[in-house]
Amino acid sequence: MEKGNIKLYLPESFEWIILSSELLEDKEIKDIMDKPENYIESQEYFSWERFFTKLLVDKTAGTYLKYQKESLILHICMRRIKI
């Protein structure tokens, strides 16, 4: 949405931002991000966020970029309460 010089940007999820950044140079990810509606099955995924989370976890498994949402949340919480 754009009005004047104000732009509103509502990403689907944090995982969507990472996948859209092209940090992972992967043709399948690019194809999925171009038309996610062709890949996301609503009977299997409650939300697009869950689909993008699984995709990111699967694509980074076994790499130095391994993504674990639970670890990320814990890390953010620990930084906030300064443990």
Side-chain angles (χ1 to χ4, degrees), residues 71-83:
S71 296
L72 179 64
I73 292 168
L74 180 61
H75 179 71
I76 291 169
C77 290
M78 289 178 72
R79 289 189 68 191
R80 287 191 123 181
I81 58 175
K82 297 181 183 175
I83 291 180

Side-chain angles (χ1 to χ4, degrees), residues 1-77:
M1 183 173 119
E2 188 173 330
K3 185 167 179 131
N5 63 353
I6 297 172
K7 294 180 182 180
L8 181 60
Y9 181 72
L10 301 171
E12 184 60 42
S13 66
F14 179 68
E15 294 77 14
W16 180 90
I17 293 170
I18 295 171
L19 292 164
S20 295
S21 74
E22 297 183 9
L23 175 67
L24 306 170
E25 296 176 359
D26 184 293
K27 181 171 177 3
E28 182 182 22
I29 291 175
K30 181 167 179 9
D31 291 345
I32 291 170
M33 298 311 289
D34 285 344
K35 294 216 177 251
E37 65 275 10
N38 293 340
Y39 297 87
I40 301 171
E41 176 55 54
S42 62
Q43 290 180 335
E44 187 175 348
Y45 298 99
F46 178 73
S47 68
W48 283 30
E49 177 182 10
R50 290 188 183 173
F51 172 83
F52 292 129
T53 299
K54 181 167 180 359
L55 178 62
L56 186 56
V57 167
D58 291 350
K59 288 294 187 174
T60 60
T63 73
Y64 77 97
L65 295 171
K66 183 179 178 182
Y67 181 78
Q68 293 178 308
K69 190 170 196 160
E70 296 79 18
S71 296
L72 179 64
I73 292 168
L74 180 61
H75 179 71
I76 291 169
C77 290

